[in-house]
Coordinates of all heavy atoms in Angstrom, one line a residue:
S123 N -13.4 20.9 8.9 CA -14.1 20.6 10.1 C -14.4 19.1 10.2 O -14.5 18.5 11.3 CB -15.4 21.4 10.3 OG -16.3 20.9 9.3
W124 N -14.5 18.4 9.1 CA -14.7 17.0 9.1 C -13.5 16.2 8.7 O -13.5 15.0 8.5 CB -15.9 16.6 8.3 CG -15.8 16.7 6.8 CD1 -15.1 15.9 5.9 CD2 -16.4 17.7 5.9 NE1 -15.2 16.3 4.6 CE2 -16.0 17.4 4.6 CE3 -17.3 18.7 6.1 CZ2 -16.5 18.1 3.5 CZ3 -17.7 19.5 5.1 CH2 -17.3 19.2 3.8
G125 N -12.4 16.9 8.6 CA -11.1 16.2 8.2 C -10.9 16.0 6.8 O -9.9 15.3 6.4
G126 N -11.7 16.7 5.9 CA -11.5 16.6 4.5 C -10.4 17.5 4.0 O -9.9 18.4 4.7
L127 N -9.9 17.2 2.8 CA -8.8 18.0 2.2 C -9.4 18.7 1.0 O -10.3 18.3 0.3 CB -7.7 17.1 1.7 CG -6.9 16.4 2.8 CD1 -5.7 15.6 2.2 CD2 -6.4 17.3 3.9
V128 N -8.8 19.9 0.7 CA -9.3 20.7 -0.4 C -8.1 20.9 -1.4 O -7.0 21.4 -1.0 CB -9.8 22.1 0.0 CG1 -10.1 23.0 -1.2 CG2 -11.0 22.0 0.9
F129 N -8.3 20.4 -2.6 CA -7.3 20.7 -3.7 C -7.9 21.6 -4.7 O -9.1 21.5 -5.0 CB -7.0 19.4 -4.4 CG -6.2 18.3 -3.6 CD1 -5.9 17.1 -4.2 CD2 -5.8 18.6 -2.3 CE1 -5.3 16.1 -3.5 CE2 -5.1 17.6 -1.6 CZ -4.9 16.4 -2.1
H130 N -7.1 22.6 -5.1 CA -7.7 23.6 -6.0 C -7.0 23.7 -7.4 O -5.8 23.6 -7.5 CB -7.6 25.0 -5.3 CG -8.3 26.1 -6.1 ND1 -9.6 26.3 -6.0 CD2 -7.8 27.1 -6.9 CE1 -10.0 27.3 -6.8 NE2 -8.9 27.8 -7.3
D131 N -7.8 23.9 -8.4 CA -7.3 24.0 -9.8 C -6.5 25.3 -10.0 O -7.0 26.3 -9.6 CB -8.4 23.9 -10.8 CG -9.0 22.5 -11.0 OD1 -8.3 21.5 -10.6 OD2 -10.2 22.4 -11.4
A132 N -5.4 25.2 -10.7 CA -4.6 26.5 -11.0 C -4.0 26.3 -12.4 O -3.4 25.3 -12.6 CB -3.6 26.7 -9.9
I133 N -4.1 27.4 -13.2 CA -3.5 27.3 -14.5 C -2.3 28.3 -14.6 O -1.7 28.4 -15.7 CB -4.5 27.6 -15.6 CG1 -5.1 29.0 -15.5 CG2 -5.6 26.6 -15.7 CD1 -5.9 29.5 -16.6
S134 N -2.1 29.1 -13.5 CA -1.0 30.0 -13.5 C -0.4 30.2 -12.1 O -1.0 29.8 -11.2 CB -1.5 31.4 -14.1 OG -2.4 32.0 -13.1
K135 N 0.7 30.9 -12.0 CA 1.3 31.2 -10.7 C 0.4 32.0 -9.9 O 0.2 31.7 -8.7 CB 2.6 31.9 -10.9 CG 3.3 32.2 -9.6 CD 4.6 32.9 -9.7 CE 5.3 33.2 -8.4 NZ 6.6 33.9 -8.5
R136 N -0.3 32.9 -10.5 CA -1.2 33.8 -9.7 C -2.4 33.0 -9.1 O -2.7 33.1 -8.0 CB -1.8 34.9 -10.6 CG -2.8 35.8 -9.9 CD -3.2 37.0 -10.9 NE -4.0 36.5 -12.0 CZ -5.3 36.3 -11.9 NH1 -6.0 36.6 -10.8 NH2 -6.0 35.9 -13.0
H137 N -2.9 32.1 -9.9 CA -4.0 31.2 -9.4 C -3.5 30.3 -8.3 O -4.2 30.0 -7.3 CB -4.6 30.4 -10.5 CG -5.4 31.2 -11.5 ND1 -5.0 31.5 -12.7 CD2 -6.7 31.7 -11.4 CE1 -5.9 32.2 -13.4 NE2 -7.0 32.3 -12.6
A138 N -2.3 29.8 -8.5 CA -1.7 28.9 -7.5 C -1.4 29.6 -6.2 O -1.7 29.1 -5.1 CB -0.4 28.3 -8.0
E139 N -1.0 30.8 -6.3 CA -0.7 31.7 -5.1 C -2.0 32.0 -4.3 O -2.0 32.0 -3.1 CB 0.0 32.9 -5.5 CG 1.5 32.7 -5.9 CD 2.1 34.0 -6.4 OE1 1.4 34.9 -6.8 OE2 3.4 34.1 -6.3
K140 N -3.0 32.3 -5.1 CA -4.3 32.5 -4.4 C -4.9 31.3 -3.7 O -5.4 31.4 -2.6 CB -5.4 33.0 -5.5 CG -5.2 34.4 -6.0 CD -6.3 34.9 -6.8 CE -6.2 36.3 -7.2 NZ -7.4 36.8 -8.0
A141 N -4.7 30.1 -4.3 CA -5.1 28.9 -3.6 C -4.3 28.7 -2.3 O -4.9 28.3 -1.3 CB -4.9 27.7 -4.6
A142 N -3.0 28.9 -2.4 CA -2.2 28.7 -1.2 C -2.5 29.7 -0.1 O -2.6 29.4 1.1 CB -0.7 28.9 -1.6
E143 N -2.8 31.0 -0.5 CA -3.1 32.0 0.5 C -4.5 31.7 1.1 O -4.7 32.0 2.3 CB -3.2 33.4 -0.3 CG -1.9 33.9 -0.7 CD -2.0 35.1 -1.6 OE1 -3.2 35.5 -1.9 OE2 -1.0 35.6 -2.1
A144 N -5.3 31.0 0.4 CA -6.6 30.7 1.0 C -6.5 29.5 1.9 O -7.4 29.2 2.7 CB -7.6 30.3 -0.2
G145 N -5.4 28.8 1.8 CA -5.2 27.6 2.7 C -5.4 26.3 2.1 O -5.6 25.3 2.8
A146 N -5.5 26.2 0.8 CA -5.7 24.9 0.1 C -4.7 23.9 0.5 O -3.5 24.2 0.7 CB -5.7 25.1 -1.4
D147 N -5.1 22.7 0.7 CA -4.2 21.6 1.1 C -3.4 21.1 -0.1 O -2.3 20.6 0.1 CB -5.0 20.4 1.7 CG -5.9 20.8 2.8 OD1 -5.3 21.1 3.9 OD2 -7.1 20.8 2.6
G148 N -3.9 21.3 -1.3 CA -3.2 20.9 -2.5 C -3.5 21.8 -3.6 O -4.6 22.4 -3.7
I149 N -2.6 21.9 -4.6 CA -2.8 22.7 -5.8 C -2.7 21.8 -7.0 O -1.7 21.0 -7.1 CB -1.8 23.8 -5.9 CG1 -1.9 24.8 -4.7 CG2 -2.1 24.6 -7.2 CD1 -0.9 25.9 -4.7
I150 N -3.7 21.8 -7.8 CA -3.7 21.0 -9.1 C -3.1 21.9 -10.2 O -3.8 22.9 -10.6 CB -5.1 20.5 -9.4 CG1 -5.7 19.7 -8.3 CG2 -5.1 19.7 -10.7 CD1 -7.1 19.4 -8.4
L151 N -1.9 21.6 -10.6 CA -1.3 22.4 -11.7 C -1.8 21.9 -13.0 O -1.4 20.9 -13.5 CB 0.2 22.3 -11.6 CG 0.8 22.7 -10.2 CD1 2.4 22.7 -10.3 CD2 0.4 24.1 -9.8
V152 N -2.7 22.7 -13.6 CA -3.3 22.3 -14.9 C -2.5 22.9 -16.0 O -2.5 24.1 -16.3 CB -4.8 22.8 -15.0 CG1 -5.4 22.3 -16.3 CG2 -5.6 22.3 -13.8

Side-chain angles (χ1 to χ4, degrees):
S123 72
W124 69 75
L127 298 182
V128 174
F129 293 177
H130 188 74
D131 288 337
I133 61 170
S134 68
K135 182 181 180 182
R136 181 174 67 87
H137 288 102
E139 288 175 335
K140 284 188 173 183
E143 290 168 4
D147 304 289
I149 302 175
I150 301 166
L151 304 184
V152 184

